Amino acid sequence: MAKSLHNNVCEENRFNALFKKHANDLHNFIFYKYGQQFNPKDKVQDAFLKLWKNCEKIPPEKAKSYLFTVANNFTLNEIEHQKVKLKFNKAAPKRDTHETPEFLMEEREYLEKVEKAIANLTEAERVAFLLNRTEGKKHREIAEILGISQKAVEKRIYAALKKMRAQIKEL
């Protein structure tokens, strides 16, 4: 017996609302966890496509965790297939600036130190740190996204900051 429309996400308006609410967070989650080389936009689209195909089976209150799990699994499958390690994209410096070349060089060196420090974090610490510091997510929101306690998120962020401070000082 099929479920009513109120117990699943098959209704177009409900599905669109889910997409608008979670697509950006899902993209950022995949991007921060695995990097750009695994095409987070494609993983978001694939996750929503799979949600649409299974819309009768998924209640609205489980849709968010379903999407994050599916997107994460797609990415893990691609990683296993490609055997690629995480790399960080380097942004080109601005060309027309009023800063001195010395300042630009110091800035580039500092950014390299920060990227290296972030790369040396554990995956759990890196994900929690980037969601908090670059996305501005609160600890409670990160805990919901990752499916862990708020205290665990706080510990991961604190450990990440401690490691990064120590490593940047050494360099």
Side-chain angles (χ1 to χ4, degrees), residues 17-144:
L18 282 169
F19 183 85
K20 288 177 183 174
K21 185 175 181 182
H22 300 300
N24 192 39
D25 288 342
L26 184 56
H27 173 273
N28 291 337
F29 173 74
I30 297 297
F31 177 79
Y32 293 147
K33 190 166 183 177
Y34 300 109
Q36 184 63 39
Q37 69 268 24
F38 294 106
N39 301 319
K41 289 181 182 178
D42 290 346
K43 301 302 178 277
V44 171
Q45 292 299 322
D46 292 341
F48 276 98
L49 182 63
K50 189 165 183 174
L51 176 65
W52 183 253
K53 287 181 181 177
N54 295 313
C55 68
E56 292 182 358
K57 302 174 189 173
I58 311 299
E61 61 271 7
K62 303 268 184 181
K64 181 179 178 182
S65 64
Y66 180 82
L67 288 167
F68 278 78
T69 302
V70 167
N72 192 47
N73 288 343
F74 280 144
T75 308
L76 290 174
N77 290 341
E78 185 176 336
I79 290 171
E80 189 172 311
H81 177 69
Q82 295 181 2
K83 303 288 185 189
V84 174
K85 293 184 178 182
L86 180 63
K87 295 179 184 176
F88 289 94
N89 296 331
K90 296 183 179 179
K94 302 172 193 169
R95 296 193 181 220
D96 297 332
T97 62
H98 299 292
E99 289 92 10
T100 64
E102 200 174 83
F103 175 80
L104 293 173
M105 183 181 75
E106 289 173 0
E107 181 182 40
R108 191 175 338 111
E109 288 174 356
Y110 183 76
L111 288 174
E112 288 173 2
K113 290 177 187 178
V114 170
E115 286 180 350
K116 186 175 181 181
I118 290 173
N120 288 334
L121 296 174
T122 66
E123 180 184 323
E125 292 168 344
R126 183 175 52 252
V127 170
F129 175 79
L130 289 173
L131 284 171
N132 179 254
R133 295 301 167 135
T134 58
E135 267 305 295
K137 300 272 186 217
K138 295 184 181 342
H139 294 179
R140 178 185 41 79
E141 294 171 317
I142 297 169
E144 288 176 15

